[in-house]
Structure formats: structure tokens, C-alpha cells
């Protein structure tokens, strides 16, 4: 099995990941409270700030899945089995549904 | 270990069973496939929220003006409370992964401690969510509605005014009983008597109506205080519906996670996994628990932040 790394080293990694998650969340909250004016410009249908939020969220998701859920240490075939369907289906669904939503707004459906 | 002997026999016995092509046990693999389908379920909910939000983008309530309470603090503190909830859940994810790690090294005492802390974290999160629901349901400012369209009360500059301030005067701050129930006629007569008052749309655009438009609207209006599935003072009905459904479905996951954690905890105490020779069950439940944290990260962004 893949659990050959020693315990102390793993505990250290866990706490590093925790602090990354903490800092990213803190940054999100601070940005969400102060709403910096330069980030309020419209880029691709929504404010730049929202794009930043999404990137930071995906970053947090990566750290949770890779380290806490141990995916980084799994075999390649398992990694791809889990990530490919999510990476294809969820952005696809999001894209069609949000496009449809703005169209419904436009025509007042 | 068993895996080693299997690998050496793999060439002559590939199709004979007993292999682990993914390097993960059956139970772990099935947990992963369940989580995959659950991830798609949650993305279905969140994209449905996105659809409706984009559809009503001009009047959709601004989340940071809805969730502003913090226990023990007066006034508006947007995002602070959800940030705390996020912190609690990330923290309990850390204790869980520490329990899994201790399990790999067969340290029963450490598994017991970390798992116990995870359960405590889960209960704190559930309690926080109950508190947030309570305040969401009870409401704060109060609004009026005309045929399913919710309007906020505002002064001539477009600053929001609560029903209590409208009826008892602007200087009536948030002290005392701001959960007083108001009748339609109380609000309508107070509104008509105060020439500074206007009606305003919810949302980022938040159009403020002229005094004459406001007057003709208010006469047909009824009071909305708090939130339920049929109406809510924050704006569009679907806003509260999605809030209850998505955070409720997530909260139900947390609740199930806590229950499963308790079962596993009892087994750890009884020494079941010690006798079995491995703590893989803690690992499988750990996957579920991290997934709950993962979903919250997305709910936090798309419900509270964006």
C-alpha cells in the first residue's frame, strides 16, 4: 500500500495544508468584506472579484482532495477515474445552465 | 503485506480475482464512486441555484446583506459567521485526517482522540447552522410585498429602513425587541405618514421607486417578516427555498457524517479495528467527512461570497 511515508512527515504536511486553507479562506473573507474597487470591473459576464473567488475556491478544493482525501498518493488510474468525470461534467453543466439563465433573464421567461 | 503477494502472482493470475487494479480496496472504491455521484448531485443543486440567480439577477438578494449576524455582537458583520463555520469544518477535517494518519500506524489512543475531536467539530458546525437558520427564519428588517414581489423600505437616499424604524421612528435602533410583528395597516399608515419613505427593489441594482410610485404600491402591499418556503423578507421566494434546500442537504450530510463517526468511534473504543489489523474503516469514513468539507467550500463561495 501507499502508506509508506512516516507519520511525523505526514502530520507536518497536514498542518501545512491546514494553514494554506486557513489563509485562503481569510483572504476570501477579507475580499468579500472590503470589496476592493479595482476588482469590481466586469470581466466575462461577472465581476473580476467573483473570478478570483472561484479560483481561490478551486485551489482550496485541490488541497482538500489531494492531501486530505489522499488522492495525490493514489494510483494514476484511480486519480483519472475520479477527476475526469468531475472536470468534464461539472464545468459543462455549469456552462449550459448559466448560459440558459442569462438568456431567460434577457427574454424575461 | 497481502498486496505484495498479490502483485507477484499478478502475471499468472490476472483474471483470477483477488487483484486490486486501482490499488484501493472494494469498500474504499465504492465510497469514492458514491462521493463522485454525490458531487454531481451537489453540482446539480448549485448550478440550479446559478440558473435562477442569473434569471433574476437584477432583484436577487445580496448575500452579505442577508447573513450579517454574529453571536454576541450588535450590528452588521457580513461573512464573519460563515467564515467561522468554514473554519470549524476545515478544523474538523484536519482532526479527521490526523485520525486516519494515526490509524495507519495502529495508534489506537491517537485515533480515539482525533476522532472524538472530529465529532465535537461536527456538532459545533450543526449547532452553528441551526443558529443561522434561526436568524434567517426569524428575519431582521422586514419588508412588504405586492403580488410576490418583495420591496424593501428605504429612505429617500435609498438606505434601507427596517419596519421597526418605520413604525417607531428612525432613532429606534436595533435595541430591544426587533422581532416585533407588524400588521399591514400599521406599516401602510406609517409609510403614508412619513414623506421621506420610499420602496426599493432587493438586489445589487436595488432600484429605488419615486414617492408617488411607492405610495401606490404600498397601498396594495402586505407585510413580510422572516422567511419560510412561501415568502421571505430578503427578496425572491426561490432565494430562501434554495437556501433551505442546499444548506439543509449539506447539513443533513454533516449530520449523517457525525452519526457514522460516532459508530466508528465506538468501534475504535471496542478495539474492533485493532483486532482486524487495520483502521481502513476510519479512512473510508474520513473520505466522506472530507467530502462534506469540500462541498461546504463550494456552498460558502456560491451562496455567501459571490
Amino acid at each position: 500500500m501507499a502508506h509508506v511515508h512516516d507519520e511525523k512527515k505526514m502530520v507536518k504536511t497536514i498542518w501545512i495544508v491546514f494553514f494554506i486553507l486557513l489563509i485562503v479562506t481569510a483572504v476570501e473573507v477579507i475580499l468579500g468584506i472590503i470589496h476592493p474597487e479595482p476588482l469590481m470591473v466586469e470581466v466575462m459576464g461577472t465581476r473580476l472579484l467573483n473570478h478570483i473567488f472561484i479560483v481561490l475556491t478551486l485551489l482550496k478544493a485541490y488541497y482538500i482532495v489531494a492531501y486530505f482525501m489522499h488522492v495525490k498518493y493514489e494510483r494514476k488510474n484511480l486519480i483519472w477515474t475520479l477527476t475526469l468525470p468531475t472536470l468534464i461534467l461539472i464545468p459543462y453543466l455549469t456552462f449550459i445552465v448559466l448560459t440558459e439563465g442569462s438568456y431567460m433573464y434577457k427574454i424575461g421567461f | 503485506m497481502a498486496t505484495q503477494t498479490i502483485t507477484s502472482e499478478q502475471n499468472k493470475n490476472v483474471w483470477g480475482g483477488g487483484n486490486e487494479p486501482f490499488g484501493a480496496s472494494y469498500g474504499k472504491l465504492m465510497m469514492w464512486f458514491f462521493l463522485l455521484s454525490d458531487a454531481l448531485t451537489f453540482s446539480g443543486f448549485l448550478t440550479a441555484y446559478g440558473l435562477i440567480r442569473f434569471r433574476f439577477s437584477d432583484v436577487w438578494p445580496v448575500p452579505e446583506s442577508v447573513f450579517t449576524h454574529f453571536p454576541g455582537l450588535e450590528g452588521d458583520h457580513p461573512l464573519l459567521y460563515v467564515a467561522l463555520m468554514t473554519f470549524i469544518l476545515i478544523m474538523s477535517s484536519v482532526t479527521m485526517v490526523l485520525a486516519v494518519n494515526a490509524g495507519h500506524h495502529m495508534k489506537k489512543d491517537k485515533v480515539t482522540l482525533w476522532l472524538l475531536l472530529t465529532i465535537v467539530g461536527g456538532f459545533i458546525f450543526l449547532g452553528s447552522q441551526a443558529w443561522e437558520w434561526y436568524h434567517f427564519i426569524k428575519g431582521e428588517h422586514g419588508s412588504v410585498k405586492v403580488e410576490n414581489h418583495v420591496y424593501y423600505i428605504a429612505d429617500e437616499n435609498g438606505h434601507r429602513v427596517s419596519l421597526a424604524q418605520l413604525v417607531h421612528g428612525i432613532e429606534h435602533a436595533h435595541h430591544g425587541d426587533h422581532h416585533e410583528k407588524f400588521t399591514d395597516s400599521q406599516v401602510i399608515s406609517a409609510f403614508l405618514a412619513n414623506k421621506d419613505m420610499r420602496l426599493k427593489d432587493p438586489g445589487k441594482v436595488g432600484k429605488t421607486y419615486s414617492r408617488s410610485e411607492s405610495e401606490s404600491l404600498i397601498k396594495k402591499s402586505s407585510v413580510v417578516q422572516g422567511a419560510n418556503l412561501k415568502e421571505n423578507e430578503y427578496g425572491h421566494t426561490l432565494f430562501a427555498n434554495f437556501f433551505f434546500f442546499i444548506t439543509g442537504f449539506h447539513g443533513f450530510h454533516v449530520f449523517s457524517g457525525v452519526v457514522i463517526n460516532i459508530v466508528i468511534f465506538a468501534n475504535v473504543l471496542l478495539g474492533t479495528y485493532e483486532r482486524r489489523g487495520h483502521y481502513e474503516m476510519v479512512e473510508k469514513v474520513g473520505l466522506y467527512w472530507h467530502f462534506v468539507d469540500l462541498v461546504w467550500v463550494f456552498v460558502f463561495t456560491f451562496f455567501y461570497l459571490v
Side-chain angles (χ1 to χ4, degrees), chain B residues 190-239:
Chain B
F191 190 93
L192 292 175
N194 191 339
K195 297 285 176 224
D196 293 339
M197 292 299 144
R198 303 280 186 276
L199 288 183
K200 186 189 169 192
D201 272 341
K204 286 206 170 76
V205 183
K207 181 190 166 197
T208 309
Y209 292 86
S210 70
R211 178 66 193 175
S212 56
E213 283 174 315
S214 301
E215 272 182 17
S216 64
L217 281 168
I218 196 94
K219 285 174 191 154
K220 298 179 279 183
S221 73
S222 55
V223 171
V224 189
Q225 283 181 286
N228 55 46
L229 288 172
K230 287 189 185 129
E231 57 175 26
N232 69 80
E233 62 167 53
Y234 312 103
H236 203 280
T237 316
L238 287 168
F239 175 73

Coordinates of all heavy atoms in Angstrom, one line a residue, chain B residues 190-239:
Chain B
A190 N -48.0 54.1 8.6 CA -46.7 54.7 9.0 C -45.9 55.2 7.7 O -45.3 56.3 7.7 CB -45.8 53.8 9.8
F191 N -46.0 54.4 6.7 CA -45.3 54.7 5.4 C -46.0 56.0 4.8 O -45.3 56.9 4.4 CB -45.4 53.5 4.5 CG -44.6 53.7 3.2 CD1 -43.3 53.2 3.2 CD2 -45.0 54.3 2.1 CE1 -42.5 53.3 2.1 CE2 -44.2 54.5 1.0 CZ -43.0 54.0 1.0
L192 N -47.3 56.0 4.8 CA -48.0 57.1 4.2 C -47.8 58.4 5.0 O -47.8 59.5 4.4 CB -49.5 56.8 4.0 CG -49.8 55.7 3.0 CD1 -51.3 55.4 3.0 CD2 -49.4 56.1 1.6
A193 N -47.6 58.3 6.3 CA -47.4 59.5 7.1 C -46.0 60.1 7.0 O -45.8 61.3 7.2 CB -47.6 59.1 8.6
N194 N -45.0 59.2 6.6 CA -43.6 59.7 6.5 C -43.2 59.9 5.1 O -43.0 59.0 4.3 CB -42.7 58.7 7.2 CG -41.3 59.2 7.4 OD1 -40.9 60.2 6.7 ND2 -40.6 58.6 8.3
K195 N -43.1 61.2 4.7 CA -42.9 61.5 3.3 C -41.5 61.2 2.8 O -41.3 61.2 1.6 CB -43.1 63.0 3.1 CG -44.6 63.5 3.4 CD -45.5 63.1 2.2 CE -47.0 63.4 2.6 NZ -47.9 62.4 2.3
D196 N -40.6 60.9 3.7 CA -39.2 60.5 3.3 C -39.1 59.1 2.8 O -38.1 58.7 2.2 CB -38.3 60.7 4.5 CG -38.1 62.1 4.9 OD1 -38.4 63.0 4.1 OD2 -37.7 62.4 6.1
M197 N -40.1 58.3 3.1 CA -40.0 56.8 2.9 C -40.2 56.5 1.4 O -41.1 57.1 0.7 CB -41.0 56.0 3.7 CG -40.6 56.1 5.2 SD -39.0 55.4 5.5 CE -38.4 56.5 6.7
R198 N -39.4 55.5 0.9 CA -39.6 55.0 -0.5 C -39.6 53.5 -0.4 O -39.2 52.9 0.6 CB -38.4 55.4 -1.3 CG -38.1 56.9 -1.4 CD -39.0 57.6 -2.4 NE -38.7 59.0 -2.5 CZ -39.1 60.0 -1.7 NH1 -39.9 59.7 -0.7 NH2 -38.7 61.2 -1.9
L199 N -40.0 52.9 -1.6 CA -39.8 51.5 -1.7 C -38.6 51.2 -2.6 O -38.3 52.0 -3.5 CB -41.1 50.8 -2.3 CG -42.3 50.7 -1.4 CD1 -43.4 50.0 -2.1 CD2 -41.9 50.0 -0.1
K200 N -38.0 50.0 -2.4 CA -36.7 49.8 -3.1 C -36.7 48.3 -3.5 O -37.2 47.4 -2.7 CB -35.6 50.1 -2.1 CG -34.2 50.0 -2.7 CD -33.2 50.1 -1.6 CE -31.8 49.8 -2.1 NZ -30.9 49.6 -1.1
D201 N -36.2 48.0 -4.6 CA -36.0 46.6 -5.0 C -34.8 46.0 -4.3 O -33.9 46.6 -4.0 CB -35.7 46.5 -6.5 CG -36.9 46.4 -7.4 OD1 -38.0 46.1 -6.9 OD2 -36.8 46.7 -8.6
P202 N -34.9 44.6 -4.0 CA -33.8 44.0 -3.4 C -32.7 43.9 -4.5 O -33.0 44.1 -5.7 CB -34.3 42.6 -3.0 CG -35.8 42.6 -3.2 CD -36.1 43.7 -4.1
G203 N -31.5 43.4 -4.2 CA -30.5 43.1 -5.2 C -29.5 44.2 -5.3 O -29.5 45.3 -4.7
K204 N -28.5 43.8 -6.2 CA -27.3 44.7 -6.4 C -27.7 46.0 -7.0 O -27.2 47.1 -6.7 CB -26.3 44.0 -7.3 CG -25.6 42.9 -6.5 CD -24.2 42.7 -7.1 CE -23.4 41.8 -6.2 NZ -23.8 40.3 -6.2
V205 N -28.6 45.9 -8.0 CA -29.1 47.1 -8.7 C -29.9 48.0 -7.7 O -29.7 49.2 -7.5 CB -29.9 46.8 -10.0 CG1 -30.3 48.0 -10.7 CG2 -29.1 45.9 -10.9
G206 N -30.9 47.3 -7.1 CA -31.6 47.9 -6.0 C -32.3 49.3 -6.4 O -32.1 50.3 -5.7
K207 N -33.1 49.2 -7.4 CA -33.8 50.4 -7.9 C -34.7 51.0 -6.8 O -35.5 50.3 -6.1 CB -34.7 50.0 -9.1 CG -35.4 51.2 -9.7 CD -36.4 50.7 -10.7 CE -37.4 51.7 -11.1 NZ -38.6 51.2 -11.7
T208 N -34.6 52.3 -6.5 CA -35.5 53.0 -5.6 C -36.6 53.7 -6.3 O -36.4 54.4 -7.3 CB -34.7 54.0 -4.8 OG1 -33.5 53.4 -4.2 CG2 -35.5 54.6 -3.6
Y209 N -37.8 53.4 -5.9 CA -39.0 54.0 -6.5 C -39.3 55.4 -6.1 O -38.9 55.8 -5.0 CB -40.2 53.1 -6.3 CG -40.1 51.7 -7.0 CD1 -39.4 50.7 -6.3 CD2 -40.6 51.5 -8.2 CE1 -39.3 49.5 -6.9 CE2 -40.4 50.3 -8.9 CZ -39.8 49.3 -8.2 OH -39.6 48.0 -8.8
S210 N -40.0 56.2 -6.9 CA -40.3 57.5 -6.5 C -41.4 57.5 -5.5 O -42.0 56.5 -5.3 CB -40.8 58.3 -7.8 OG -42.1 57.8 -8.1
R211 N -41.6 58.6 -4.8 CA -42.6 58.7 -3.7 C -44.0 58.3 -4.2 O -44.7 57.5 -3.6 CB -42.6 60.1 -3.1 CG -43.6 60.3 -2.0 CD -43.3 59.5 -0.7 NE -44.4 59.5 0.2 CZ -44.5 58.8 1.3 NH1 -43.5 58.0 1.6 NH2 -45.6 58.8 2.1
S212 N -44.4 58.8 -5.4 CA -45.7 58.5 -5.9 C -45.9 57.0 -6.2 O -46.9 56.4 -5.9 CB -46.1 59.4 -7.0 OG -45.1 59.3 -8.1
E213 N -44.9 56.5 -6.9 CA -44.9 55.0 -7.2 C -45.0 54.2 -5.9 O -45.7 53.3 -5.8 CB -43.6 54.6 -8.0 CG -43.6 55.0 -9.4 CD -42.2 54.7 -10.1 OE1 -41.2 55.0 -9.4 OE2 -42.2 54.1 -11.2
S214 N -44.1 54.6 -4.9 CA -44.1 53.9 -3.7 C -45.4 53.9 -3.0 O -45.9 52.9 -2.4 CB -43.0 54.5 -2.7 OG -41.8 54.5 -3.3
E215 N -46.1 55.1 -3.0 CA -47.4 55.2 -2.3 C -48.4 54.3 -2.9 O -49.2 53.7 -2.2 CB -47.8 56.7 -2.4 CG -47.3 57.5 -1.2 CD -47.8 58.9 -1.2 OE1 -48.8 59.2 -1.9 OE2 -47.2 59.7 -0.4
S216 N -48.5 54.3 -4.3 CA -49.5 53.5 -4.9 C -49.2 52.0 -4.7 O -50.1 51.2 -4.6 CB -49.6 53.8 -6.4 OG -48.4 53.5 -7.1
L217 N -47.9 51.6 -4.6 CA -47.5 50.2 -4.3 C -47.9 49.8 -2.9 O -48.4 48.7 -2.6 CB -46.1 50.0 -4.6 CG -45.6 49.8 -6.0 CD1 -44.1 49.9 -6.1 CD2 -46.1 48.5 -6.6
I218 N -47.5 50.7 -1.9 CA -47.7 50.3 -0.5 C -49.1 50.0 -0.2 O -49.4 49.2 0.7 CB -47.0 51.4 0.4 CG1 -46.8 50.8 1.8 CG2 -47.9 52.6 0.5 CD1 -45.4 50.2 2.0
K219 N -50.0 50.7 -0.8 CA -51.5 50.6 -0.5 C -51.9 49.1 -0.8 O -52.9 48.7 -0.2 CB -52.3 51.6 -1.3 CG -52.2 53.0 -0.7 CD -52.9 54.0 -1.6 CE -52.5 55.4 -1.1 NZ -52.7 56.4 -2.2
K220 N -51.3 48.5 -1.8 CA -51.7 47.1 -2.1 C -50.9 46.1 -1.4 O -51.0 44.9 -1.6 CB -51.5 46.9 -3.6 CG -52.3 47.8 -4.5 CD -52.0 47.5 -6.0 CE -50.7 48.2 -6.4 NZ -50.4 48.1 -7.9
S221 N -49.9 46.5 -0.5 CA -48.9 45.6 0.0 C -49.3 44.9 1.2 O -50.2 45.3 1.9 CB -47.6 46.4 0.2 OG -47.8 47.1 1.4
S222 N -48.6 43.8 1.5 CA -48.7 43.1 2.8 C -47.3 42.9 3.4 O -46.3 42.9 2.7 CB -49.4 41.8 2.6 OG -48.7 41.0 1.7
V223 N -47.3 42.8 4.7 CA -46.0 42.7 5.4 C -45.4 41.3 5.3 O -46.1 40.3 5.3 CB -46.3 43.1 6.9 CG1 -45.0 42.8 7.8 CG2 -46.7 44.5 7.1
V224 N -44.1 41.3 5.1 CA -43.3 40.0 5.1 C -42.3 40.2 6.2 O -41.4 41.0 6.1 CB -42.6 39.7 3.8 CG1 -42.1 38.3 3.8 CG2 -43.6 39.9 2.6
Q225 N -42.3 39.3 7.2 CA -41.2 39.3 8.2 C -40.7 37.9 8.3 O -41.4 36.9 8.5 CB -41.8 39.7 9.5 CG -42.0 41.2 9.6 CD -42.5 41.7 11.0 OE1 -43.7 41.5 11.3 NE2 -41.6 42.3 11.7
G226 N -39.4 37.8 8.2 CA -38.7 36.5 8.3 C -38.8 35.7 7.0 O -39.1 36.2 5.9
A227 N -38.6 34.4 7.1 CA -38.5 33.6 5.9 C -39.2 32.2 6.1 O -39.0 31.6 7.1 CB -37.1 33.4 5.4
N228 N -39.9 31.8 5.1 CA -40.3 30.4 5.0 C -40.3 30.0 3.6 O -39.8 30.7 2.7 CB -41.7 30.2 5.7 CG -42.7 31.1 5.1 OD1 -42.8 31.3 3.9 ND2 -43.5 31.8 5.9
L229 N -40.9 28.8 3.2 CA -40.8 28.4 1.9 C -41.7 29.1 0.9 O -41.6 29.1 -0.3 CB -41.1 26.9 1.8 CG -40.0 26.0 2.4 CD1 -40.5 24.5 2.4 CD2 -38.8 26.0 1.5
K230 N -42.7 29.9 1.5 CA -43.7 30.6 0.6 C -43.3 32.0 0.4 O -43.6 32.6 -0.7 CB -45.1 30.5 1.2 CG -45.7 29.1 1.1 CD -47.1 29.2 1.5 CE -47.7 27.8 1.5 NZ -48.4 27.4 2.7
E231 N -42.7 32.7 1.4 CA -42.3 34.1 1.2 C -41.1 34.3 2.1 O -40.9 33.7 3.1 CB -43.5 35.0 1.6 CG -44.0 34.8 2.9 CD -45.1 35.8 3.3 OE1 -45.8 36.3 2.4 OE2 -45.2 36.0 4.5
N232 N -40.3 35.3 1.8 CA -39.2 35.8 2.7 C -39.0 37.2 2.5 O -39.2 37.8 1.4 CB -38.0 34.9 2.5 CG -37.3 35.2 1.1 OD1 -36.6 36.1 1.0 ND2 -37.6 34.3 0.2
E233 N -38.5 37.9 3.5 CA -38.3 39.3 3.5 C -37.1 39.7 2.7 O -36.9 40.9 2.5 CB -38.2 39.9 5.0 CG -37.0 39.3 5.7 CD -36.7 40.0 7.0 OE1 -37.6 40.2 7.8 OE2 -35.6 40.5 7.2
Y234 N -36.2 38.8 2.3 CA -35.0 39.1 1.7 C -35.2 39.4 0.2 O -34.3 40.0 -0.4 CB -33.9 38.0 1.9 CG -33.9 37.6 3.3 CD1 -34.5 36.4 3.8 CD2 -33.3 38.4 4.3 CE1 -34.4 36.1 5.1 CE2 -33.2 38.1 5.6 CZ -33.8 36.9 6.0 OH -33.8 36.6 7.3
G235 N -36.2 38.8 -0.4 CA -36.4 39.0 -1.8 C -37.2 37.9 -2.4 O -38.2 37.4 -1.9
H236 N -36.6 37.4 -3.6 CA -37.3 36.4 -4.3 C -37.6 35.1 -3.5 O -36.7 34.7 -2.7 CB -36.5 36.0 -5.5 CG -37.4 35.4 -6.6 ND1 -37.7 34.1 -6.6 CD2 -37.9 35.9 -7.7 CE1 -38.5 33.8 -7.6 NE2 -38.6 34.9 -8.4
T237 N -38.8 34.5 -3.6 CA -39.1 33.3 -2.9 C -38.1 32.2 -3.0 O -37.7 31.5 -2.0 CB -40.5 32.8 -3.4 OG1 -41.4 33.8 -3.5 CG2 -41.0 31.8 -2.4
L238 N -37.6 32.1 -4.2 CA -36.6 31.0 -4.5 C -35.3 31.1 -3.8 O -34.6 30.2 -3.5 CB -36.4 30.9 -6.0 CG -37.5 30.3 -6.8 CD1 -37.3 30.5 -8.3 CD2 -37.7 28.8 -6.5
F239 N -35.0 32.4 -3.4 CA -33.8 32.6 -2.6 C -33.8 31.8 -1.3 O -32.9 31.0 -1.0 CB -33.6 34.1 -2.3 CG -32.4 34.3 -1.4 CD1 -31.1 34.2 -1.9 CD2 -32.5 34.7 -0.1 CE1 -30.0 34.5 -1.1 CE2 -31.4 35.0 0.7 CZ -30.2 34.8 0.2

